Amino acid sequence: MDLGIVATGMAFGERHDVAETAGEYVPDPEVVSGLGYRTYHRVAEGVTATDLAAEAAREALENADLDIADVDLIVVGHSDVPEYLGWDASAAVARALGAHATPTVMFTQVCAAWSVALDHAAGAMALSPDTRNVLVALVNVASEAHTNRMDFNGTIASDGAVAAVLRRGHPRLRRLSSAHFTNPEYADLFRVEYGGAAAPLPPPGHGNLHADPMTGVYRHFGRDPERFQVFMKEISGRVADVVDQALARAGRDRTQLARLIYLNDNQQTIRAAADAVGLPLARTNAELARELGHMGAADQLICLWRHIEAGELSRGDLVALVGVAAPGMHWFCTLIEV
C-alpha cells in the first residue's frame, strides 16, 4: 500500500535537567549520568496521556490543513500504564478531538506500538478504498506510581506524544516495508509485577516501586553472566535481522541507508544497534536521545521529524526506524523513504 506522512504534531511534558533531578529518583545519581541523557520531559500534575496525544493530534491536523471530520481512521499507540483498566484510550483521544463515529483502534505493544500502528494504517487502506486519511497518535506518559522513570530498563522515561497524518498515495515520507520478530521466551521480562489480574494487589508494605525491575531478568537467566551476555548480543543481533528483512522486502540493502533511528535508549545501546547494522553513531538518533529521553512508542517518529527539520535528511533518503519492545520481547523495523 502506497502511503506517506503528510504532517506531524508533537506535545511534550516540561523539560527537566537529568543532573539536577536524578537525586529525586535514585540514591546514586552518578549511575544515571552514565546513561548519557542530559534532559527529559515530565508532565505537570493532572496532565494525562490522552491530553498529550490529543494535543499532538490537533497540531498534526492543523499542519495537514485537515479537520477531524476528514480523518477516516484514528490509531493510537500508548506505551506505558493506561489511565484506567478496562478502558480504550483511542476512543478517549477521538472524543477529545471531537470525532464522531470515526473508527478507532488501540495498540499497547509498549515501545513497538509505533510500528504496528503504521502497519495497521497501511492494512486499513489496503482493505478499504474509502480509507484515505489516517491519524496515528503515539504517546508515553510514565506512571510514577508503577515504575521509577530513572531506574527501569537502562533508560530515562520521558513524557511526550507525536501524531502523524498518513495519506494514501502521498509522495513524501513513504512507508516502504516493515519487519517484526518475537522471541516469546522473554515474555515475562521487565513486566510490572502488581496491578494486573494475576496480582492485583502487592503484599503488605510492598509495591511496584519496591521491586527491582532487573530481578525477573536475573531470575530468568539463573544469575548466569554468560547467559545474560548471550541475551544482550541477541538484542542487537535481532535489530540487524529485522533491518535486513525490511530492506529485502523493499528491494534495498544496507548500503542505501541514510540513517538508523532507534528508540531513545542509552548511548551504549544505540551504539550497539548502529554497529550491528554497520552505520556510524553519527547517523543515528543518539544526540536527540540525550535531549529527549525515552518517549516510548513516540521516539522514532519524533526523531524522524527532528532530523528532517535540522536538514539532516533529504528527499529520497532511506531511513530505518527500529525498536525493541522489552516486554514481549519484540523487534521491529519500518522503512521510510524521505
Side-chain angles (χ1 to χ4, degrees), residues 9 22 26 63 69 81 118 121 171 189 196 205 239 241 275 337:
V26 294
N63 290 339
V81 178
L118 294 179
L189 301 191
V239 166
D241 291 344
D275 290 346
E337 183 183 74

Side-chain angles (χ1 to χ4, degrees), residues 50-92:
T50 298
D51 296 333
L52 276 194
E55 182 181 344
R58 292 187 192 98
E59 183 176 285
L61 290 170
E62 181 179 350
N63 290 339
D65 196 24
L66 290 178
D67 186 84
I68 188 61
D70 301 315
V71 173
D72 303 305
L73 173 67
I74 298 171
V75 184
V76 174
H78 185 199
S79 46
D80 208 272
V81 178
E83 291 157 50
Y84 302 98
L85 299 178
W87 180 77
D88 187 337
S90 68

Side-chain angles (χ1 to χ4, degrees), residues 9 54 56 59 65 115 122 124 135 157 187 191 199-201 208 233 238 301:
E59 183 176 285
D65 196 24
S115 185
L135 176 64
R191 71 189 186 193
L201 297 174
N208 287 311
K233 290 179 180 178
R238 295 294 184 194
L301 287 185

Side-chain angles (χ1 to χ4, degrees), residues 243-317:
V243 169
D244 287 339
Q245 187 175 4
L247 285 167
R249 289 175 175 173
R252 309 292 181 92
D253 60 53
R254 291 191 197 180
T255 64
Q256 296 171 282
L257 279 178
R259 188 168 290 270
L260 177 80
I261 298 180
Y262 195 60
L263 59 90
N264 289 341
D265 213 323
N266 63 70
Q267 295 296 294
Q268 181 179 351
T269 303
I270 297 177
R271 182 182 295 278
D275 290 346
V277 179
L279 286 179
L281 190 66
R283 285 166 59 187
T284 71
N285 58 309
E287 279 304 307
L288 286 176
R290 290 161 69 90
E291 305 301 327
L292 291 168
H294 177 32
M295 295 182 173
D299 283 348
Q300 285 81 355
L301 287 185
I302 288 174
C303 289
L304 173 65
W305 206 256
R306 284 289 178 87
H307 285 305
I308 292 171
E309 289 179 326
E312 296 166 345
L313 288 169
S314 303
R315 184 159 189 167
D317 280 349

Side-chain angles (χ1 to χ4, degrees), residues 105-134:
V105 65
M106 178 70 190
F107 286 102
T108 59
Q109 209 151 14
V110 290
C111 303
W114 60 274
S115 185
V116 288
L118 294 179
D119 282 358
H120 185 80
M125 290 182 186
L127 289 170
S128 172
D130 296 333
T131 302
R132 182 168 182 262
N133 295 314
V134 177

